[in-house]
Amino acid sequence: MHKSNRYGVFEEDDHTRTLTEQNRVFDIWWKHPGVLFPYMIKVDGIPAGLAFVATRPYIPCPPFIDYYLNEFFLLRYYRGRGIGEEAVRLLIEMMPGHWELQTNPTDRNERAIHFWRKTLRACIKGNYTEELGCHPEDGEKLIFRFIHKIEQ
């Protein structure tokens, strides 16, 4: 289990003193419109989660990837209700092209892995690849890749 640093902030370094400092890492998402896409997932007007989609040069993927799902989070209260699947469906419909997303391949992350397999089967009819790979900063990952084309 991850412990907080000496300031009570869950961060690996001992330099981050406040949540404000910790959250500055997210500032970049609002500085590059058209390249980085931050989305808030809302249910009945209430924030329920978030999704961050990156494009080049902010993705760690092979050159043929157009969109990288950098972050996807849904509050526990909203999980298991189809909201996450609908959010993913809307995202990929807005941004046709080659996609990649990564998740931890560990047993502790079994629910997320199941969510991505189920969601990709539903949203893109199962037309995706799945492989183990290595993220340059985060180590071993389970990588999902797929192409979403606009249907004519």
Side-chain angles (χ1 to χ4, degrees), residues 123-134:
C123 292
I124 56 167
K125 300 176 178 76
N127 293 320
Y128 67 91
T129 62
E130 179 180 325
E131 65 184 49
L132 284 176
C134 190

PDB file of all heavy atoms in Angstrom, residues 123-134:
ATOM      1  N   CYS A 123     -18.176  -1.176 -27.634  1.00  0.00           N
ATOM      2  CA  CYS A 123     -18.041   0.084 -28.377  1.00  0.00           C
ATOM      3  C   CYS A 123     -17.483  -0.080 -29.785  1.00  0.00           C
ATOM      4  O   CYS A 123     -17.850   0.686 -30.681  1.00  0.00           O
ATOM      5  CB  CYS A 123     -17.156   1.062 -27.601  1.00  0.00           C
ATOM      6  SG  CYS A 123     -17.913   1.654 -26.076  1.00  0.00           S
ATOM      7  N   ILE A 124     -16.588  -1.025 -29.961  1.00  0.00           N
ATOM      8  CA  ILE A 124     -15.986  -1.192 -31.291  1.00  0.00           C
ATOM      9  C   ILE A 124     -16.083  -2.634 -31.772  1.00  0.00           C
ATOM     10  O   ILE A 124     -15.272  -3.094 -32.576  1.00  0.00           O
ATOM     11  CB  ILE A 124     -14.523  -0.693 -31.313  1.00  0.00           C
ATOM     12  CG1 ILE A 124     -13.708  -1.387 -30.246  1.00  0.00           C
ATOM     13  CG2 ILE A 124     -14.452   0.810 -31.168  1.00  0.00           C
ATOM     14  CD1 ILE A 124     -12.226  -1.187 -30.421  1.00  0.00           C
ATOM     15  N   LYS A 125     -17.090  -3.310 -31.257  1.00  0.00           N
ATOM     16  CA  LYS A 125     -17.399  -4.680 -31.681  1.00  0.00           C
ATOM     17  C   LYS A 125     -16.221  -5.637 -31.508  1.00  0.00           C
ATOM     18  O   LYS A 125     -16.029  -6.553 -32.296  1.00  0.00           O
ATOM     19  CB  LYS A 125     -17.906  -4.687 -33.120  1.00  0.00           C
ATOM     20  CG  LYS A 125     -19.162  -3.864 -33.310  1.00  0.00           C
ATOM     21  CD  LYS A 125     -19.585  -3.821 -34.771  1.00  0.00           C
ATOM     22  CE  LYS A 125     -20.850  -3.049 -34.953  1.00  0.00           C
ATOM     23  NZ  LYS A 125     -20.738  -1.618 -34.890  1.00  0.00           N
ATOM     24  N   GLY A 126     -15.403  -5.375 -30.506  1.00  0.00           N
ATOM     25  CA  GLY A 126     -14.295  -6.270 -30.193  1.00  0.00           C
ATOM     26  C   GLY A 126     -13.104  -6.178 -31.120  1.00  0.00           C
ATOM     27  O   GLY A 126     -12.194  -6.993 -31.030  1.00  0.00           O
ATOM     28  N   ASN A 127     -13.110  -5.198 -32.017  1.00  0.00           N
ATOM     29  CA  ASN A 127     -12.001  -5.062 -32.968  1.00  0.00           C
ATOM     30  C   ASN A 127     -10.845  -4.291 -32.335  1.00  0.00           C
ATOM     31  O   ASN A 127     -10.607  -3.134 -32.645  1.00  0.00           O
ATOM     32  CB  ASN A 127     -12.475  -4.351 -34.241  1.00  0.00           C
ATOM     33  CG  ASN A 127     -13.463  -5.191 -35.001  1.00  0.00           C
ATOM     34  OD1 ASN A 127     -13.305  -6.402 -35.097  1.00  0.00           O
ATOM     35  ND2 ASN A 127     -14.492  -4.557 -35.534  1.00  0.00           N
ATOM     36  N   TYR A 128     -10.146  -4.958 -31.434  1.00  0.00           N
ATOM     37  CA  TYR A 128      -9.003  -4.348 -30.775  1.00  0.00           C
ATOM     38  C   TYR A 128      -7.917  -5.398 -30.575  1.00  0.00           C
ATOM     39  O   TYR A 128      -8.173  -6.591 -30.664  1.00  0.00           O
ATOM     40  CB  TYR A 128      -9.404  -3.737 -29.430  1.00  0.00           C
ATOM     41  CG  TYR A 128      -9.830  -4.732 -28.370  1.00  0.00           C
ATOM     42  CD1 TYR A 128      -8.900  -5.278 -27.483  1.00  0.00           C
ATOM     43  CD2 TYR A 128     -11.161  -5.126 -28.251  1.00  0.00           C
ATOM     44  CE1 TYR A 128      -9.288  -6.184 -26.515  1.00  0.00           C
ATOM     45  CE2 TYR A 128     -11.549  -6.023 -27.278  1.00  0.00           C
ATOM     46  CZ  TYR A 128     -10.615  -6.547 -26.416  1.00  0.00           C
ATOM     47  OH  TYR A 128     -11.003  -7.447 -25.467  1.00  0.00           O
ATOM     48  N   THR A 129      -6.707  -4.917 -30.324  1.00  0.00           N
ATOM     49  CA  THR A 129      -5.620  -5.820 -29.965  1.00  0.00           C
ATOM     50  C   THR A 129      -5.250  -5.552 -28.517  1.00  0.00           C
ATOM     51  O   THR A 129      -5.502  -4.471 -27.980  1.00  0.00           O
ATOM     52  CB  THR A 129      -4.375  -5.628 -30.858  1.00  0.00           C
ATOM     53  OG1 THR A 129      -3.869  -4.315 -30.684  1.00  0.00           O
ATOM     54  CG2 THR A 129      -4.707  -5.875 -32.317  1.00  0.00           C
ATOM     55  N   GLU A 130      -4.660  -6.554 -27.923  1.00  0.00           N
ATOM     56  CA  GLU A 130      -4.268  -6.473 -26.522  1.00  0.00           C
ATOM     57  C   GLU A 130      -2.912  -7.152 -26.383  1.00  0.00           C
ATOM     58  O   GLU A 130      -2.731  -8.255 -26.871  1.00  0.00           O
ATOM     59  CB  GLU A 130      -5.333  -7.214 -25.711  1.00  0.00           C
ATOM     60  CG  GLU A 130      -5.126  -7.289 -24.258  1.00  0.00           C
ATOM     61  CD  GLU A 130      -6.249  -8.059 -23.577  1.00  0.00           C
ATOM     62  OE1 GLU A 130      -7.426  -7.990 -24.003  1.00  0.00           O
ATOM     63  OE2 GLU A 130      -5.932  -8.741 -22.593  1.00  0.00           O
ATOM     64  N   GLU A 131      -1.964  -6.452 -25.755  1.00  0.00           N
ATOM     65  CA  GLU A 131      -0.640  -7.050 -25.574  1.00  0.00           C
ATOM     66  C   GLU A 131       0.045  -6.444 -24.358  1.00  0.00           C
ATOM     67  O   GLU A 131      -0.295  -5.341 -23.931  1.00  0.00           O
ATOM     68  CB  GLU A 131       0.230  -6.825 -26.814  1.00  0.00           C
ATOM     69  CG  GLU A 131       0.547  -5.371 -27.082  1.00  0.00           C
ATOM     70  CD  GLU A 131       1.322  -5.150 -28.376  1.00  0.00           C
ATOM     71  OE1 GLU A 131       0.900  -5.687 -29.413  1.00  0.00           O
ATOM     72  OE2 GLU A 131       2.336  -4.452 -28.323  1.00  0.00           O
ATOM     73  N   LEU A 132       0.984  -7.184 -23.823  1.00  0.00           N
ATOM     74  CA  LEU A 132       1.810  -6.643 -22.746  1.00  0.00           C
ATOM     75  C   LEU A 132       2.916  -5.812 -23.378  1.00  0.00           C
ATOM     76  O   LEU A 132       3.473  -6.178 -24.402  1.00  0.00           O
ATOM     77  CB  LEU A 132       2.417  -7.761 -21.911  1.00  0.00           C
ATOM     78  CG  LEU A 132       1.474  -8.450 -20.930  1.00  0.00           C
ATOM     79  CD1 LEU A 132       2.191  -9.606 -20.237  1.00  0.00           C
ATOM     80  CD2 LEU A 132       0.946  -7.474 -19.893  1.00  0.00           C
ATOM     81  N   GLY A 133       3.201  -4.673 -22.763  1.00  0.00           N
ATOM     82  CA  GLY A 133       4.253  -3.806 -23.262  1.00  0.00           C
ATOM     83  C   GLY A 133       4.818  -2.995 -22.119  1.00  0.00           C
ATOM     84  O   GLY A 133       4.439  -3.170 -20.961  1.00  0.00           O
ATOM     85  N   CYS A 134       5.703  -2.098 -22.448  1.00  0.00           N
ATOM     86  CA  CYS A 134       6.373  -1.316 -21.421  1.00  0.00           C
ATOM     87  C   CYS A 134       6.182   0.172 -21.694  1.00  0.00           C
ATOM     88  O   CYS A 134       6.503   0.666 -22.772  1.00  0.00           O
ATOM     89  CB  CYS A 134       7.853  -1.661 -21.402  1.00  0.00           C
ATOM     90  SG  CYS A 134       8.707  -0.965 -19.986  1.00  0.00           S
TER      91      CYS A 134
END
